[in-house]
Amino acid sequence: MPELVLESQGRTWTLDPSRSYALGRDPQGEVVFDDARVSWRHATVRFDGRTWVIEDHGSTNGTFVHGQRVQSTELGDGSVVNLGNATDGPRVTLTGAHSPVGTPQGGASQQPYAGQGADGWTPQPQTTPPAQQQPGHEPPRQQTAPHVPHQQGHGGAAQGAPAYGDRSPTTFHQLSLGRVMRIGRALENDLVVSDLQVSRNHAEFRATPDGRMEIRDLGSHNGTYVNGQPIPKGGTQTLGPPDIVGVGHSTFRIVGDRLEEFVDTGEVSFSARHLTVTVDGGKQILRDVSFGAPEKSLIGVIGPSGSGKSTLLKALTGYRPADRGEVLYDNRDLYKQFAELRQRIGLVPQEDILHKELTVKKALKYAAKLRFPADTTAAERDARIDEVLRELKLDVHKDKKVTSLSGGQRKRVSVALELLTKPSLIFLDEPTSGLDPGMDRDVMKLLRELADDGRTVLVVTHSVAELALCNKLLVMAPGGAVAYFGPPEEALNFFGYETWADVFSAFESYRDYDWAGRWKGSQHYQMYAAEVDAVAPQPVTVAPMQAMKPPKPQGWMSQFVTLVRRYVSVIASDKGFLGLMVILPAVLGAVSLLINSDRGLLPNPVNPQTGRLVPNGTATTVLLILAVGACFAGAANSVRELIKERVIYERERATGLSRSAYLMSKVFVLGMITMFQGLMVGVIGFSSRELPSEGLILGGATLVEMCLPIMALGFTSMMFGLVISSLVKTAEKTMPLLVMFAIIQVVFTGCLFTLHGTVGVNEFSYLMPSRWAVAAAGATLDFNKISPPEPGAGTDPLWDHSAGAWGLDMAALIALGVVCGFFVARFLRRHEPEVMRK
C-alpha cells in the first residue's frame, strides 16, 4: 500500500494506510490546528483501498485542494490542502515517502504533553498554571492568530487605516476594471465566503463607467451592509474610499485596485464608554460606566441588587441602549451598526431560550432553520449542529428531551443554540442561578473554554466561587456605578476585605459612599481602565436610535412554516395537554346533556290562557353552558402561550424573527385546536336534541350551522387569551384573569337577563364574544320565540330569525378576534430590542 507524508506546522509525518487521520481543532484528533477558521472535526485523510482521499466533514469554512473547495477528492504526491481559507488557511502538503510509519521526519520522537493528541500530533502550548488545573479536565488551549499574507507593519498592507480596530486584512483580492466579482457561499462565486450567514449568491462588486466601484445585493437573506446599514434587497450602492461592506462575518474595503477582506474569527475587542441610563423622573440607574474587554477574555460582572447589572447588560447588547455613551464592537459603534453586528453577538438570558419539551437535536434544528439563510441545506445545518454539540460535549445527550437534562446541561444547550451562528461576543445573564456548586464550576469552566477558543465572553453572576477563572472582574456599586475593574485576584485586596460577603455588606451599609470616586482615584484605575475612560464623553445626549428593520434570514412563509412545525412538535410531546384537549370539550358537552336531556331546542307552543309563547328554558340553559365552555376552553388554550415563551421570543426577534409570522403560527395552531374543541362541544351538546329542520344558511345541515358559532366563539376567546398572555408579566397572573374573563362571558350571553333595551349594558355587551355567538345560534333557533320578551318590550334584533342577523352576528364575532390580534401584535412589540421597534 502506498505511503504518504503529511507536512504541516513545521512537522512531517508518514501516514499509515491502515488507519484514518482526523484534522481539526479537536485535541483528540490526529492533526490539531489552533485556528478559529478550522472546524472542531474539519476533515479526514484516509486510504480507500485504491488511493489516498481527503473528506470534508461539513466544515463551516471549507477544505481547499490547490485553491478549489472540495467535499471529497483524491490526494497524491504534491497535493496542497488549505483548511478554512483557500489562500492563507492552515496548510497541509502531501508527498510520497518510504519512511517508517508513524515516525516524525527530521527529529527524535516527542512525548505528548498538554493538549497533544494520542499519537503525539501537534503539541499545543499550555497556558494555565498547574495550580489552576483540575484532574481529569483538559486545560484551556492557547489560540494563535491567523496568518496574514503580505502584512506590512501593524497598520495593514495598504496606506490608510485598517477597516476597523488595528487589524491587518485577512486576505486580498485583485480587482480589474470592468470585472464583476461575485461573493457568496457557492463554489462558483469569484470570492467564496465559507459562512452559513452568507447566501449562496450574496452580492457582487462591479466597476461603474466613471471608474468607481459599487456593491449590488443579489437578494441575500441576511443582507449586505455598507457602513453597518443594510442596503435594500437587490439594491445597489456606490462605494467611496472609506466605505466598509459587510457580508456575514466578513468585512470588505476597496483600497486602490484591490479588495481587502477582514474575517471576524472571534478575536475582537469590546468596550463600553461612559454609559449612562436615565429613567423617568431623571433618576440615573447606570452612571458613567466605562470598561474594556480584551480579545479572547472572560469578563465577570458582579454587584449587589440595585447596582444596574441587568440595565448594563441591556445597554451592552442594544436591547435597551444607553441614553449617553457608546458601545464599541472592535471599534465599531454597536448602536449605529446594530443591524449588521447583531448576528455576531450571542445572548443567553437567565431563563432557558429553548423549548424544554423537545429533544436537544430537534430544538437546535428549529433554531438553525430560523437563523440561517433559506438557501442553507439541511446537511449544512446538521453539520453545524453536530459540530457545536461535539464542542460543548452534548453529542451524547442530543436525543434526550431538554427537560430531562440537569441544570448545567440545559445551560450548555442554551449556549449551543447561540453558538450556531458563530458569535464573536457572548453575553450570559446569571447562567449559574439555581445551580449547585459543582454545576456552577462546570458552567464557569465552559465559559472559560469558550473564551480560550477565540471569543469574548461577558457573564453577569451572583456566584463568587469561580471568579478566578475570569480575566477581568467588573464590580458594580449601588446606583449603577463602577466600583472596580481589573484582575479578580486583586479585587478583595482593593476593597480591603477578606470575603465578598464583607464587600457586599459594605455596599449595603454605605450606599451613599462615592465608590466610583474611590475607584477612579486608585492606582488600579490607572492600570486597567484609564485608557478606555480617557475618551471624552459625548457632549450631547445620544439621540434615540432610528428604528430599523434588519433583513430576515428567512422569508415570511418559511418562518411561518418552521414555527408551525416547531409548535406542533412541542404540543405533540406534551401528552398531558393532548389528553386535556380531548377530555375538556367532551366533559363540557356532556354536562349540557344533564339539562332535560329529553327536551328539544324548539319554540314551545302558545299558552292558550295567556295567548303567549311558553319560554323554552332548556334551550337558553343549554346554549349558556356550551357557550361558556367554549369561552373557557379557548382562552385556557392560549392564556399562557406567550408569557411562557417571552424570553424565547425576545431573543429570536433580535436574530431576525418576523413578529407577524410568530403570532400567526400561534393563531393557526391554537385556532385549529380550539375550533376542533368547539366542534366537539357543539356535536355532543346539540346532536341528541331536536333542532329546527331548516337552518338559515345551510338548509338541512342545522347541526353544522349551530356548531359554527360555538367554534367561532372558541377561536375569538382564544384570541382574548393571547391578549391576556401578552399583557401579564408572570404566568401566575393569567389564571385569575382567565376566571374573570369566563365569568364576564356568562353575564353577557343574554341568557340570564334581557340585554336588549338596557342602555349602556347592552352596548357594553357588544364587546363580549359570547354575546355574538349566542345571538348567532339564537338566530337559527329563533330565540325571540324561544325566550319571548316581556309585554311591551321589543324583540332583540340580534336574535332575528334571518340570514342577515346570523351573518351580522358571525361577522362581529370574527371582527372581535381580528381586533384582538392587532392588540397582541402591538403588545408583542414591547418585548423587542428598542432599535427594532417600528
Side-chain angles (χ1 to χ4, degrees):
M1 292 183 291
E3 296 173 345
L4 197 68
V5 170
L6 181 150
E7 181 178 353
S8 179
Q9 305 173 110
R11 304 184 66 200
T12 56
W13 295 85
T14 300
L15 305 187
D16 182 352
S18 65
R19 58 173 299 185
S20 61
Y21 296 83
L23 285 62
R25 291 198 340 267
D26 185 355
Q28 302 303 316
E30 284 72 29
V31 186
V32 183
F33 297 91
D34 249 346
D35 192 304
R37 294 171 293 179
V38 178
S39 296
W40 192 255
R41 286 276 182 172
H42 196 103
T44 296
V45 175
R46 64 180 180 83
F47 186 74
D48 67 356
R50 184 181 62 86
T51 184
W52 287 93
V53 296
I54 185 168
E55 295 178 351
D56 184 276
H57 293 313
S59 63
T60 302
N61 294 321
T63 301
F64 301 85
V65 177
H66 299 298
Q68 299 297 317
R69 186 168 184 172
V70 299
Q71 293 298 321
S72 177
T73 191
E74 297 181 358
L75 299 174
D77 191 6
S79 294
V80 178
V81 179
N82 288 88
L83 306 181
N85 187 284
T87 305
D88 63 329
R91 182 186 179 100
V92 177
T93 58
L94 299 110
T95 58
H98 301 284
S99 303
V101 173
T103 303
Q105 303 290 320
S109 62
Q110 302 184 18
Q111 296 298 319
Y113 58 97
Q116 191 170 11
D119 295 318
W121 290 79
T122 314
Q124 305 298 314
Q126 181 171 313
T127 61
T128 303
Q132 296 182 9
Q133 298 178 29
Q134 300 295 325
H137 290 268
E138 179 195 345
R141 300 182 304 280
Q142 179 179 357
Q143 180 155 334
T144 58
H147 170 69
V148 181
H150 315 298
Q151 184 169 323
Q152 299 178 8
H154 188 63
Q159 295 82 8
Y164 49 81
D166 58 357
R167 305 202 181 284
S168 298
T170 305
T171 188
F172 305 92
H173 307 278
Q174 200 67 30
L175 294 173
S176 57
L177 190 62
R179 180 187 174 189
V180 175
M181 180 174 287
R182 178 168 291 188
I183 306 172
R185 213 172 67 246
L187 299 179
E188 63 266 18
N189 288 285
D190 303 291
L191 201 163
V192 178
V193 179
S194 301
D195 181 356
L196 290 183
Q197 295 292 90
V198 177
S199 298
R200 299 189 67 81
N201 295 290
H202 196 104
E204 62 184 19
F205 288 96
R206 63 171 65 234
T208 60
D210 57 3
R212 293 187 296 173
M213 294 296 295
E214 64 181 18
I215 182 71
R216 176 172 172 255
D217 182 84
L218 299 177
S220 64
H221 298 278
N222 277 326
T224 304
Y225 301 83
V226 175
N227 302 323
Q229 302 303 312
I231 64 176
K233 182 171 288 191
T236 301
Q237 184 165 331
T238 302
L239 302 174
D243 290 333
I244 303 298
V245 177
V247 174
H249 284 77
S250 296
T251 308
F252 300 90
R253 186 184 62 171
I254 297 174
V255 178
D257 60 349
R258 67 181 176 187
L259 187 68
E260 297 182 346
E261 180 181 3
F262 301 78
V263 179
D264 186 345
T265 59
E267 298 179 0
V268 298
S269 61
F270 181 78
S271 61
R273 296 177 177 175
H274 308 289
L275 299 182
T276 300
V277 174
T278 306
V279 295
D280 296 339
K283 180 182 178 181
Q284 289 186 346
I285 57 176
L286 204 65
R287 294 189 291 116
D288 198 27
V289 174
S290 297
F291 69 93
E295 299 176 1
K296 297 192 300 183
S297 61
L298 174 59
I299 310 297
V301 180
I302 63 172
S305 298
S307 59
K309 300 188 298 297
S310 297
T311 303
L312 175 62
L313 194 63
K314 291 179 180 179
L316 294 176
T317 57
Y319 272 65
R320 198 294 186 191
D323 301 306
R324 291 191 62 197
E326 56 190 358
V327 177
L328 300 181
Y329 176 100
D330 226 23
N331 289 342
R332 301 176 67 185
D333 192 311
L334 174 65
Y335 293 167
K336 295 180 180 178
Q337 303 184 36
F338 181 81
E340 177 185 354
L341 298 179
R342 67 192 175 111
Q343 297 289 0
R344 306 189 192 184
I345 296 176
L347 173 62
V348 181
Q350 183 173 346
E351 299 179 41
D352 294 325
I353 50 176
L354 35 81
H355 294 84
K356 298 179 182 179
E357 301 86 353
L358 301 177
T359 64
V360 172
K361 185 73 175 284
K362 187 171 288 187
L364 295 181
K365 276 189 175 183
Y366 285 121
K369 178 70 174 174
L370 289 172
R371 297 190 181 194
F372 289 142
D375 60 6
T376 307
T377 65
E380 288 175 314
R381 292 194 298 269
D382 287 344
R384 179 58 187 156
I385 291 170
D386 290 340
E387 183 180 2
V388 170
L389 289 175
R390 286 192 298 268
E391 182 177 358
L392 298 184
K393 300 178 178 63
L394 287 169
D395 46 341
V396 296
H397 303 295
K398 64 182 180 180
D399 295 322
K400 296 179 182 178
K401 285 190 176 182
V402 176
T403 187
S404 69
L405 302 178
S406 66
Q409 290 168 342
R410 284 202 301 270
K411 193 58 64 177
R412 281 178 177 263
V413 178
S414 292
V415 173
L417 190 151
E418 290 300 306
L419 290 185
L420 289 175
T421 54
K422 293 191 173 181
S424 301
L425 186 62
I426 303 177
F427 294 92
L428 300 100
D429 186 12
E430 300 286 357
T432 61
S433 178
L435 302 183
D436 61 47
M439 290 184 179
D440 179 3
R441 180 181 60 190
D442 289 343
V443 171
M444 290 300 292
K445 283 189 173 183
L446 167 66
L447 303 185
R448 177 69 264 167
E449 292 170 3
L450 293 178
D452 292 332
D453 210 23
R455 305 174 183 92
T456 302
V457 182
L458 187 144
V459 53
V460 175
T461 179
H462 278 301
S463 174
V464 297
E466 304 296 333
L467 293 179
L469 293 173
C470 299
N471 297 98
K472 294 289 191 297
L473 181 64
L474 176 67
V475 182
M476 301 293 293
V482 176
Y484 173 83
F485 179 74
E489 61 270 16
E490 300 177 16
L492 286 175
N493 182 59
F494 171 81
F495 287 107
Y497 294 98
E498 294 184 357
T499 68
W500 283 108
D502 295 331
V503 175
F504 280 46
S505 294
F507 283 149
E508 185 64 30
S509 301
Y510 307 101
R511 297 187 70 88
D512 295 330
Y513 182 74
D514 186 10
W515 294 100
R518 180 177 182 271
W519 157 243
K520 291 186 177 180
S522 68
Q523 290 184 345
H524 281 77
Y525 169 77
Q526 297 298 325
M527 294 173 62
Y528 302 119
E531 182 178 352
V532 173
D533 212 25
V535 179
Q538 297 182 6
V540 295
T541 300
V542 178
M545 290 186 300
Q546 221 175 13
M548 62 181 67
K549 188 178 180 181
K552 297 179 176 61
Q554 302 279 334
W556 190 95
M557 183 55 67
S558 178
Q559 286 195 1
F560 172 75
V561 172
T562 300
L563 290 166
V564 167
R565 291 178 59 191
R566 183 177 71 179
Y567 195 23
V568 170
S569 296
V570 170
I571 292 175
S573 65
D574 189 347
K575 301 300 188 291
F577 179 81
L578 290 176
L580 190 63
M581 183 180 73
V582 177
I583 294 173
L584 180 61
V587 171
L588 293 172
V591 167
S592 69
L593 298 179
L594 302 177
I595 310 299
N596 297 329
S597 58
D598 58 338
R599 295 291 303 274
L601 304 182
L602 300 175
N604 282 337
V606 175
N607 187 326
Q609 295 180 353
T610 62
R612 299 183 65 243
L613 288 168
V614 178
N616 184 351
T618 299
T620 55
T621 304
V622 168
L623 201 53
L624 172 64
I625 292 174
L626 297 183
V628 172
C631 283
F632 184 81
N637 285 341
S638 61
V639 76
R640 286 175 174 262
E641 290 307 301
L642 298 183
I643 181 63
K644 75 178 184 181
E645 289 188 0
R646 182 161 296 171
V647 176
I648 297 175
Y649 172 75
E650 289 176 354
R651 183 65 195 125
E652 290 183 341
R653 178 67 176 144
T655 59
L657 179 69
S658 166
R659 183 197 313 153
S660 59
Y662 175 79
L663 176 56
M664 287 306 298
S665 71
K666 295 292 184 186
V667 171
F668 178 79
V669 176
L670 290 174
M672 297 295 289
I673 292 173
T674 303
M675 288 194 291
F676 168 75
Q677 291 176 321
L679 180 62
M680 284 187 63
V681 169
V683 169
I684 294 173
F686 292 134
S687 60
S688 63
R689 299 181 186 272
E690 186 180 2
L691 300 174
S693 58
E694 289 288 331
L696 296 172
I697 303 297
L698 301 180
T702 310
L703 176 61
V704 177
E705 187 174 311
M706 290 293 295
C707 289
L708 286 177
I710 303 299
M711 295 167 64
L713 174 59
F715 178 85
T716 302
S717 298
M718 179 271 295
M719 297 300 296
F720 270 88
L722 289 178
V723 172
I724 295 173
S725 191
S726 64
L727 282 173
V728 297
K729 293 184 178 180
T730 61
E732 289 74 18
K733 295 180 180 179
T734 59
M735 296 313 295
L737 294 174
L738 173 62
V739 173
M740 183 177 69
F741 171 76
I743 292 175
I744 291 177
Q745 300 311 307
V746 173
V747 175
F748 289 99
T749 56
C751 297
L752 297 180
F753 60 90
T754 302
L755 291 173
H756 177 65
T758 307
V759 179
V761 175
N762 186 44
E763 285 71 22
F764 182 74
S765 72
Y766 293 160
L767 300 176
M768 304 298 146
S770 63
R771 169 73 159 121
W772 298 101
V774 170
T780 299
L781 296 175
D782 199 357
F783 252 31
N784 281 321
K785 289 185 178 180
I786 287 178
S787 182
E790 296 294 328
T795 57
D796 191 335
L798 300 185
W799 291 359
D800 284 347
H801 188 58
S802 67
W806 190 93
L808 173 65
D809 296 336
M810 290 295 290
L813 185 57
I814 295 172
L816 281 176
V818 173
V819 171
C820 286
F822 171 79
F823 282 111
V824 174
R826 299 299 297 175
F827 296 148
L828 279 176
R829 181 177 174 271
R830 300 180 307 165
H831 306 296
E832 301 172 1
E834 286 192 14
V835 70
M836 298 181 66
R837 298 181 187 175
K838 298 189 287 293

